[in-house]
Short mmCIF file of all heavy atoms in Angstrom, two decimals:
data_model
loop_
_atom_site.label_atom_id
_atom_site.label_comp_id
_atom_site.label_asym_id
_atom_site.label_seq_id
_atom_site.Cartn_x
_atom_site.Cartn_y
_atom_site.Cartn_z
N ALA A 154 8.35 19.64 -12.19
CA ALA A 154 9.45 18.98 -12.91
C ALA A 154 8.90 18.52 -14.25
O ALA A 154 8.84 17.33 -14.55
CB ALA A 154 9.99 17.80 -12.11
N PRO A 155 8.44 19.48 -15.08
CA PRO A 155 7.70 19.11 -16.30
C PRO A 155 8.51 18.28 -17.29
O PRO A 155 7.93 17.53 -18.08
CB PRO A 155 7.31 20.47 -16.90
CG PRO A 155 8.29 21.44 -16.32
CD PRO A 155 8.58 20.93 -14.93
N GLN A 156 9.83 18.38 -17.24
CA GLN A 156 10.64 17.60 -18.17
C GLN A 156 10.92 16.20 -17.64
O GLN A 156 11.30 15.31 -18.40
CB GLN A 156 11.97 18.32 -18.44
CG GLN A 156 11.80 19.74 -18.96
CD GLN A 156 10.90 19.82 -20.18
OE1 GLN A 156 11.03 19.02 -21.11
NE2 GLN A 156 9.98 20.77 -20.18
N ASP A 157 10.74 16.00 -16.34
CA ASP A 157 11.11 14.72 -15.73
C ASP A 157 9.95 13.74 -15.61
O ASP A 157 10.14 12.53 -15.63
CB ASP A 157 11.69 14.96 -14.33
CG ASP A 157 12.98 15.74 -14.37
OD1 ASP A 157 13.66 15.69 -15.40
OD2 ASP A 157 13.31 16.40 -13.36
N GLY A 158 8.75 14.23 -15.42
CA GLY A 158 7.67 13.30 -15.09
C GLY A 158 6.38 13.68 -15.78
O GLY A 158 6.27 14.76 -16.35
N PRO A 159 5.40 12.80 -15.71
CA PRO A 159 5.46 11.50 -15.05
C PRO A 159 6.27 10.50 -15.88
O PRO A 159 6.18 10.48 -17.11
CB PRO A 159 3.99 11.07 -14.98
CG PRO A 159 3.36 11.76 -16.16
CD PRO A 159 4.08 13.07 -16.29
N GLY A 160 7.03 9.67 -15.21
CA GLY A 160 7.84 8.69 -15.92
C GLY A 160 7.00 7.54 -16.45
O GLY A 160 6.02 7.12 -15.81
N ARG A 161 7.35 7.06 -17.61
CA ARG A 161 6.61 5.92 -18.19
C ARG A 161 6.68 4.70 -17.29
O ARG A 161 5.74 3.91 -17.21
CB ARG A 161 7.17 5.61 -19.58
CG ARG A 161 6.34 4.59 -20.35
CD ARG A 161 6.73 4.56 -21.82
NE ARG A 161 6.46 5.82 -22.47
CZ ARG A 161 5.24 6.20 -22.91
NH1 ARG A 161 4.21 5.40 -22.74
NH2 ARG A 161 5.08 7.37 -23.48
N SER A 162 7.80 4.54 -16.57
CA SER A 162 7.93 3.36 -15.71
C SER A 162 6.91 3.35 -14.59
O SER A 162 6.55 2.29 -14.08
CB SER A 162 9.34 3.30 -15.11
OG SER A 162 9.59 4.41 -14.28
N GLY A 163 6.41 4.55 -14.20
CA GLY A 163 5.41 4.61 -13.15
C GLY A 163 3.99 4.44 -13.63
O GLY A 163 3.06 4.32 -12.83
N GLY A 164 3.78 4.49 -14.95
CA GLY A 164 2.46 4.27 -15.50
C GLY A 164 1.57 5.49 -15.54
O GLY A 164 0.37 5.38 -15.79
N GLY A 165 2.13 6.68 -15.32
CA GLY A 165 1.32 7.89 -15.29
C GLY A 165 1.07 8.35 -13.87
O GLY A 165 1.25 7.61 -12.90
N THR A 166 0.63 9.60 -13.71
CA THR A 166 0.49 10.19 -12.39
C THR A 166 -0.62 9.55 -11.58
O THR A 166 -0.51 9.43 -10.36
CB THR A 166 0.26 11.71 -12.52
OG1 THR A 166 1.39 12.28 -13.20
CG2 THR A 166 0.11 12.37 -11.18
N LEU A 167 -1.71 9.11 -12.21
CA LEU A 167 -2.79 8.47 -11.47
C LEU A 167 -2.29 7.24 -10.74
O LEU A 167 -2.55 7.06 -9.54
CB LEU A 167 -3.95 8.10 -12.40
CG LEU A 167 -5.12 7.36 -11.72
CD1 LEU A 167 -5.82 8.26 -10.71
CD2 LEU A 167 -6.10 6.83 -12.74
N LEU A 168 -1.54 6.38 -11.43
CA LEU A 168 -1.04 5.16 -10.79
C LEU A 168 0.12 5.47 -9.86
O LEU A 168 0.29 4.80 -8.83
CB LEU A 168 -0.59 4.15 -11.86
CG LEU A 168 -1.68 3.43 -12.62
CD1 LEU A 168 -1.07 2.52 -13.69
CD2 LEU A 168 -2.55 2.59 -11.67
N ASP A 169 0.94 6.45 -10.20
CA ASP A 169 2.15 6.72 -9.43
C ASP A 169 1.80 7.46 -8.14
O ASP A 169 1.76 6.86 -7.06
CB ASP A 169 3.11 7.53 -10.30
CG ASP A 169 4.48 7.71 -9.67
OD1 ASP A 169 4.79 6.95 -8.73
OD2 ASP A 169 5.22 8.59 -10.11
N PHE A 170 1.54 8.75 -8.20
CA PHE A 170 1.15 9.50 -7.01
C PHE A 170 -0.21 9.02 -6.47
O PHE A 170 -0.42 8.97 -5.26
CB PHE A 170 1.07 10.99 -7.31
CG PHE A 170 2.40 11.65 -7.53
CD1 PHE A 170 2.47 12.87 -8.19
CD2 PHE A 170 3.57 11.08 -7.08
CE1 PHE A 170 3.70 13.50 -8.38
CE2 PHE A 170 4.80 11.70 -7.27
CZ PHE A 170 4.86 12.92 -7.93
N GLY A 171 -1.13 8.70 -7.39
CA GLY A 171 -2.47 8.32 -6.96
C GLY A 171 -2.50 7.10 -6.07
O GLY A 171 -3.36 7.00 -5.18
N SER A 172 -1.57 6.16 -6.26
CA SER A 172 -1.55 4.96 -5.42
C SER A 172 -1.37 5.33 -3.95
O SER A 172 -2.02 4.77 -3.06
CB SER A 172 -0.43 4.02 -5.86
OG SER A 172 -0.69 3.47 -7.13
N HIS A 173 -0.47 6.28 -3.68
CA HIS A 173 -0.24 6.70 -2.29
C HIS A 173 -1.39 7.57 -1.79
O HIS A 173 -1.85 7.40 -0.65
CB HIS A 173 1.05 7.49 -2.19
CG HIS A 173 2.29 6.66 -2.29
ND1 HIS A 173 2.45 5.47 -1.61
CD2 HIS A 173 3.46 6.85 -2.96
CE1 HIS A 173 3.64 4.97 -1.86
NE2 HIS A 173 4.28 5.78 -2.68
N LEU A 174 -1.84 8.52 -2.60
CA LEU A 174 -2.89 9.43 -2.17
C LEU A 174 -4.17 8.67 -1.80
O LEU A 174 -4.80 8.94 -0.76
CB LEU A 174 -3.18 10.44 -3.27
CG LEU A 174 -2.08 11.46 -3.56
CD1 LEU A 174 -2.33 12.14 -4.91
CD2 LEU A 174 -1.97 12.49 -2.45
N VAL A 175 -4.55 7.72 -2.64
CA VAL A 175 -5.78 6.96 -2.39
C VAL A 175 -5.60 6.05 -1.19
O VAL A 175 -6.50 5.94 -0.33
CB VAL A 175 -6.18 6.16 -3.65
CG1 VAL A 175 -7.29 5.17 -3.33
CG2 VAL A 175 -6.63 7.12 -4.75
N ASP A 176 -4.45 5.37 -1.09
CA ASP A 176 -4.23 4.49 0.06
C ASP A 176 -4.34 5.27 1.37
O ASP A 176 -4.97 4.80 2.32
CB ASP A 176 -2.86 3.83 -0.04
CG ASP A 176 -2.54 2.97 1.17
OD1 ASP A 176 -3.08 1.86 1.27
OD2 ASP A 176 -1.76 3.43 2.04
N GLN A 177 -3.73 6.44 1.44
CA GLN A 177 -3.80 7.24 2.66
C GLN A 177 -5.23 7.65 2.98
O GLN A 177 -5.66 7.60 4.14
CB GLN A 177 -2.91 8.47 2.54
CG GLN A 177 -1.41 8.15 2.55
CD GLN A 177 -0.56 9.39 2.33
OE1 GLN A 177 -0.96 10.33 1.64
NE2 GLN A 177 0.63 9.39 2.90
N ALA A 178 -5.98 8.06 1.96
CA ALA A 178 -7.37 8.47 2.19
C ALA A 178 -8.22 7.30 2.69
O ALA A 178 -9.02 7.46 3.62
CB ALA A 178 -7.96 9.05 0.90
N LEU A 179 -8.04 6.13 2.09
CA LEU A 179 -8.79 4.96 2.53
C LEU A 179 -8.40 4.55 3.94
O LEU A 179 -9.24 4.17 4.75
CB LEU A 179 -8.56 3.79 1.56
CG LEU A 179 -9.10 3.95 0.14
CD1 LEU A 179 -8.71 2.74 -0.70
CD2 LEU A 179 -10.61 4.12 0.14
N PHE A 180 -7.11 4.59 4.22
CA PHE A 180 -6.62 4.19 5.54
C PHE A 180 -7.18 5.10 6.62
O PHE A 180 -7.52 4.65 7.72
CB PHE A 180 -5.09 4.22 5.55
CG PHE A 180 -4.46 3.61 6.76
CD1 PHE A 180 -4.50 2.24 6.97
CD2 PHE A 180 -3.82 4.41 7.70
CE1 PHE A 180 -3.91 1.67 8.09
CE2 PHE A 180 -3.23 3.85 8.83
CZ PHE A 180 -3.27 2.48 9.02
N LEU A 181 -7.32 6.38 6.32
CA LEU A 181 -7.77 7.34 7.31
C LEU A 181 -9.29 7.40 7.42
O LEU A 181 -9.83 7.47 8.54
CB LEU A 181 -7.24 8.73 6.96
CG LEU A 181 -7.34 9.79 8.05
CD1 LEU A 181 -6.38 9.48 9.20
CD2 LEU A 181 -7.05 11.17 7.49
N LEU A 182 -9.99 7.36 6.28
CA LEU A 182 -11.43 7.64 6.27
C LEU A 182 -12.30 6.47 5.85
O LEU A 182 -13.53 6.60 5.82
CB LEU A 182 -11.71 8.85 5.37
CG LEU A 182 -11.07 10.17 5.82
CD1 LEU A 182 -11.40 11.29 4.84
CD2 LEU A 182 -11.53 10.56 7.22
N GLY A 183 -11.70 5.34 5.48
CA GLY A 183 -12.49 4.16 5.20
C GLY A 183 -12.96 4.05 3.76
O GLY A 183 -12.56 4.84 2.89
N PRO A 184 -13.81 3.06 3.48
CA PRO A 184 -14.21 2.74 2.10
C PRO A 184 -14.88 3.92 1.38
O PRO A 184 -15.43 4.83 2.00
CB PRO A 184 -15.20 1.58 2.27
CG PRO A 184 -14.88 1.01 3.62
CD PRO A 184 -14.40 2.15 4.45
N VAL A 185 -14.83 3.82 0.05
CA VAL A 185 -15.36 4.87 -0.83
C VAL A 185 -16.58 4.34 -1.57
O VAL A 185 -16.63 3.18 -1.95
CB VAL A 185 -14.25 5.29 -1.83
CG1 VAL A 185 -14.83 6.05 -3.01
CG2 VAL A 185 -13.19 6.12 -1.12
N ARG A 186 -17.57 5.23 -1.76
CA ARG A 186 -18.76 4.81 -2.51
C ARG A 186 -18.90 5.51 -3.86
O ARG A 186 -19.68 5.07 -4.70
CB ARG A 186 -20.02 4.99 -1.70
CG ARG A 186 -20.30 6.40 -1.20
CD ARG A 186 -21.61 6.43 -0.41
NE ARG A 186 -21.83 7.68 0.30
CZ ARG A 186 -22.39 8.76 -0.23
NH1 ARG A 186 -22.76 8.74 -1.51
NH2 ARG A 186 -22.57 9.84 0.50
N ALA A 187 -18.16 6.61 -4.08
CA ALA A 187 -18.26 7.31 -5.36
C ALA A 187 -16.94 8.02 -5.66
O ALA A 187 -16.27 8.51 -4.75
CB ALA A 187 -19.41 8.30 -5.36
N VAL A 188 -16.60 8.07 -6.96
CA VAL A 188 -15.34 8.67 -7.40
C VAL A 188 -15.60 9.57 -8.60
O VAL A 188 -16.28 9.18 -9.56
CB VAL A 188 -14.31 7.58 -7.81
CG1 VAL A 188 -13.02 8.22 -8.32
CG2 VAL A 188 -14.03 6.64 -6.65
N TYR A 189 -15.04 10.79 -8.53
CA TYR A 189 -15.00 11.68 -9.69
C TYR A 189 -13.54 12.05 -9.91
O TYR A 189 -12.80 12.30 -8.96
CB TYR A 189 -15.83 12.95 -9.46
CG TYR A 189 -15.61 13.99 -10.53
CD1 TYR A 189 -16.19 13.83 -11.79
CD2 TYR A 189 -14.79 15.09 -10.31
CE1 TYR A 189 -15.97 14.78 -12.79
CE2 TYR A 189 -14.57 16.03 -11.29
CZ TYR A 189 -15.16 15.87 -12.54
OH TYR A 189 -14.93 16.78 -13.54
#
Side-chain angles (χ1 to χ4, degrees):
Q156 304 307 315
D157 296 335
R161 189 166 297 280
S162 63
T166 300
L167 177 66
L168 286 177
D169 188 17
F170 289 161
S172 292
H173 286 316
L174 292 165
V175 169
D176 176 77
Q177 290 176 329
L179 294 177
F180 190 71
L181 194 70
L182 297 179
V185 163
R186 58 180 170 85
V188 178
Y189 170 76

